[in-house]
Amino acid sequence: MSYDPVARGPSPAGAANDEVLAPPQAPGIRDSIGTPSNVSYQSEQAINIPYRDDPQATASGLLNEKDGGAAGYPPAGSPSGEQGKKRKPLFWILVGIAILAIIVLAVILPVYFKVIKPNNASAESQSSTSGGGSNGGGSGGGNNNGGGSNGNNGNSDSVVFGSDGTTVTTEDGSTFVYKNSFGGYFAVDPNNPFYDGARAQSWSPPLNETWDYNKYTIRGVNLGGWLNTEPFISPALFQKYAQTSSPAIDEWGLSEHMAQDPEGLKQLEDHYRTFITEEDFAMIAGAGLNWIRLPIPYWCIEKFENEPFLEGVCWKYALKAFDWARKYGLRVNLDLHAIPGSQNGYNHSGKKGTINFLHGVMGVANAQRALNHIRILTEFITQPEYANVVPMFGVINEARTNDIGKDQITSFYLHMHDMIRSITGYGAGKGPWIAIHDGFQNLRTWEDFLPGRDRVSMDTHTYLCFTSVDTRPLEQQLTKPCTAWAKEQNTSWTNFGVTSSGEWSLAINDCGLYLNGVGSGTRWEGTLEGYTGTTGSGGCGTWNDYESWDQSRKDGLKQFALASMDALQNWFFWTWKIGPSLESGKVEAPLWSYRLGLENGWMPTDPRQSVGVCGGANPAPPLTPAMVGEETQQFTDALRQQFPWPPLEFPASTGQQEGPSRVVSELPTYTPTGTIPILAMPTHTMANGKVFESNADGWFSEDKTPVYVPVQGCTYPNQWDALNVDVPPTCTGSGSRRVRGVKGVLLETQN
């Protein structure tokens, strides 16, 4: 073949080989410590007993290693050999019997009195969470290098562990059985809601261990359409208003309709509460996945009066997501999916239409407001209580760089990078990785992006269905992911650094209810406005009706999934769940639902089966120390002069986003004089009925510089529709905001 498949070099010495599948086990034998599968563990000792995913693995593949030896095995360099051979056999027999007796007493009695007797083979959720608006000021301080102020990395005799077969009782009293055949375990400490000892699978590190990008593979899934709604993911919400004179096509329109509905915007919170639940997080870990990407909109934090969104409520459910991810050992890539004014004009940015971020008359003001949101979220997730759970922050989803301008968005990213690292500090272990989207540009164009950057990863969204139509049968497209993506991903990993596919799906065509938007057609059927290319045959009916698929189609889709996983290496499938149609009661975009594919046999039950599907002939070299923050760097003065903030001008644009060029110094801006809307911490009610008291207050650093807000007395154009309006009289924020850069250098930013 003519493609250059992705592969990684050999695992570091002593690392478990997560790409080798465990051999089949004999019926009735569990690869565990030998206790019944319905017993939960209320002691740290359950973790200190070796667990192997592969019975044939060496000691280096065991769960715990200390001083060079795995748990239950002698440390490297311990005495052995000739000295032992001089002892008499009877002596060793007696010693062995004595040790065995001690082990039996030490293990069985604590398990009985601490686990079986009090828990009765059930691991209940020990806390409830609530959250909401802002909680005011206060300074978190500290750092996130060694556990939280509440001991989230420490040991506790009260920790409850659960493994495959454990019954879980949720906060609303419902129950489900935790199913995880990959050696994963959940962990809850009723005395400390920030305990980080859970592990999604045996081949993924527990949360309180560092994620090594040279060693581990991201196998993740998006929770799209949950806290940031999209018509094709939750079609029933939009179908309710489909027959009105102005159907809801985005969350802006949906919110306006709901506000006029007797049921009100409460419908959105009903969606948040039911669409994704704790059981979904347990299922994700049980599916062999170790990360989630969590899209949220900026109105989780605040909104302006002329914006119809439900303000703040989705943050309550983001907090639940963090709690559930913590419990099941899943890491979170927090994705800011919607930016004020829209960064792409797509329906999932909040309002379909024009781009008003770094574009048009309100381009700078909207960017300043976006900086508020990025700053506030960074302050929250950098707290020690969340640093292990949310180690990556996708700052802006799918900004359309062709319309905004590559230089303009680079200026924004440089300033944003300074702001984030002034909060977190520089170097490995200090704050989250910053994920930026490729802006729909070739990955090679980003290889020289901001030399001196600190822990920035590249996010690319790899879809095959939104360009031309491939009319070949499915079986002739099975290696398409290998040829389309593998070489580019590998090259970016080598030259840029950490690169992942933040979104991909099984869609080989654009069939699916509302996939292209409410009221839009499809390329496959030739009904999408403006599309004049090749079309498919047979319509979308068969592709949308998964119940009609035969085994051959399911097998083909599974092979396509495996090829995609291997080509992309580090990835997040879009998306975990698609809701049913209000009219048919069925999912009508099945190629986009990981959960539905698992339940019906076209998604692999073990994503490690993908290893080597594309060939793996050309491994990428290890990431360099500079790429992973082990060598501190800094931006040069020349780079700052090349990409000033704010940029000097916005370029003219054509097409749907048509507008004239703008001199940025003439445009309206906001002023840094506003009260910070600090995000609320959750309230955890413990088993004894008392509220857990935490030192955390939602803010990590000591910098309480006010946020950007409109200048009092100024009249601004509509921030969502200002491409071709007149520039208003002077509405410019006064003063400058000081941002601490590399090595404490203060950078002045004029407003």
Side-chain angles (χ1 to χ4, degrees), residues 259-594:
Q260 303 300 317
D261 190 311
E263 296 184 54
L265 289 172
K266 176 182 176 295
Q267 296 173 85
L268 275 174
E269 184 167 8
D270 291 342
H271 167 73
Y272 300 155
R273 188 179 64 255
T274 59
F275 188 69
I276 296 292
T277 66
E278 178 180 344
E279 186 173 7
D280 288 291
F281 283 74
M283 293 174 67
I284 288 168
L289 306 175
N290 48 25
W291 282 68
I292 63 167
R293 182 169 177 259
L294 181 64
I296 64 169
Y298 74 85
W299 53 90
C300 277
I301 304 171
E302 59 85 25
K303 72 178 184 70
F304 280 2
E305 187 176 349
N306 68 333
E307 296 168 338
F309 305 118
L310 181 61
E311 182 181 26
V313 177
C314 52
W315 181 248
K316 170 183 175 180
Y317 293 88
L319 291 174
K320 289 181 181 291
F322 299 155
D323 277 354
W324 293 333
R326 187 193 310 275
K327 180 174 180 178
Y328 295 99
L330 298 166
R331 288 168 171 81
V332 178
N333 174 2
L334 183 63
D335 167 55
L336 188 53
H337 216 68
I339 293 293
S342 181
Q343 71 277 21
N344 51 36
Y346 299 149
N347 60 17
H348 50 72
S349 70
K351 192 173 191 290
K352 185 177 181 179
T354 56
I355 298 171
N356 292 273
F357 166 77
L358 293 179
H359 193 57
V361 173
M362 290 297 289
V364 177
N366 280 324
Q368 290 174 322
R369 194 171 165 210
L371 287 168
N372 288 345
H373 303 140
I374 293 169
R375 176 188 175 203
I376 290 164
L377 288 167
T378 299
E379 290 279 5
F380 189 92
I381 64 176
T382 305
Q383 297 177 106
E385 290 77 9
Y386 289 93
N388 292 335
V389 179
V390 192
M392 185 175 287
F393 182 17
V395 289
I396 300 178
N397 176 67
E398 294 187 345
R400 278 180 41 186
T401 304
N402 274 346
D403 295 295
I404 293 171
K406 181 73 177 295
D407 286 352
Q408 284 69 23
I409 202 164
T410 300
S411 292
F412 177 86
Y413 282 146
L414 191 156
H415 180 71
M416 178 209 66
H417 181 283
D418 281 338
M419 180 187 70
I420 289 178
R421 293 304 176 218
S422 74
I423 295 167
T424 69
Y426 289 77
K430 295 182 178 180
W433 278 70
I434 302 168
I436 65 166
H437 182 253
D438 64 13
F440 306 105
Q441 309 286 305
N442 189 290
L443 289 176
R444 290 178 183 267
T445 66
W446 294 94
E447 290 178 359
D448 60 351
F449 174 74
L450 296 184
R453 62 185 183 267
D454 177 36
R455 290 165 297 140
V456 176
S457 69
M458 179 56 60
D459 173 24
T460 182
H461 297 174
T462 43
Y463 292 124
L464 297 172
C465 62
F466 295 126
T467 52
S468 59
V469 171
D470 190 335
T471 60
R472 294 178 298 164
L474 172 61
E475 57 269 22
Q476 295 182 23
Q477 300 189 48
L478 300 184
T479 61
K480 197 171 181 180
C482 301
T483 57
W485 303 325
K487 182 177 181 178
E488 190 175 22
Q489 293 289 115
N490 216 28
T491 300
S492 181
W493 186 274
T494 301
N495 297 334
F496 179 91
V498 173
T499 302
S500 65
S501 173
E503 298 182 17
W504 65 279
S505 76
L506 297 185
I508 62 170
N509 56 54
D510 66 336
C511 292
L513 177 64
Y514 291 167
L515 179 61
N516 293 305
V518 175
S520 300
T522 67
R523 297 167 183 80
W524 183 261
E525 296 169 307
T527 55
L528 181 66
E529 183 179 357
Y531 179 73
T532 59
T534 304
T535 60
S537 60
C540 281
T542 180
W543 290 105
N544 294 345
D545 181 15
Y546 69 91
E547 293 179 340
S548 69
W549 294 353
D550 59 19
Q551 193 60 45
S552 176
R553 175 167 291 186
K554 292 181 179 180
D555 290 344
L557 290 171
K558 182 182 292 187
Q559 189 62 29
F560 186 88
L562 292 171
S564 299
M565 292 172 179
D566 194 39
L568 299 171
Q569 291 288 295
N570 294 273
W571 47 263
F572 299 85
F573 185 88
W574 186 274
T575 185
W576 173 246
K577 181 180 178 181
I578 299 290
S581 162
L582 185 65
E583 297 175 0
S584 70
K586 300 179 181 179
V587 172
E588 294 188 25
L591 296 175
W592 297 80
S593 176
Y594 201 108

Side-chain angles (χ1 to χ4, degrees), residues 210-263:
T210 300
W211 183 274
D212 184 342
Y213 290 89
N214 274 320
K215 179 178 178 182
Y216 302 115
T217 301
I218 295 175
R219 298 183 174 106
V221 67
N222 283 271
L223 297 182
W226 179 27
L227 306 181
N228 193 97
T229 63
E230 296 192 35
F232 94 96
I233 299 176
S234 303
L237 291 175
F238 294 82
Q239 286 175 307
K240 183 176 182 180
Y241 307 106
Q243 303 306 315
T244 62
S245 58
S246 57
I249 62 173
D250 46 37
E251 191 158 337
W252 183 290
L254 182 66
S255 301
E256 288 182 324
H257 277 287
M258 286 182 172
Q260 303 300 317
D261 190 311
E263 296 184 54

Side-chain angles (χ1 to χ4, degrees), residues 25-44:
Q25 297 177 342
I29 302 298
R30 293 183 69 249
D31 192 8
S32 71
I33 64 172
T35 53
S37 61
N38 63 342
V39 174
S40 61
Y41 304 106
Q42 195 175 0
S43 168
E44 197 71 32

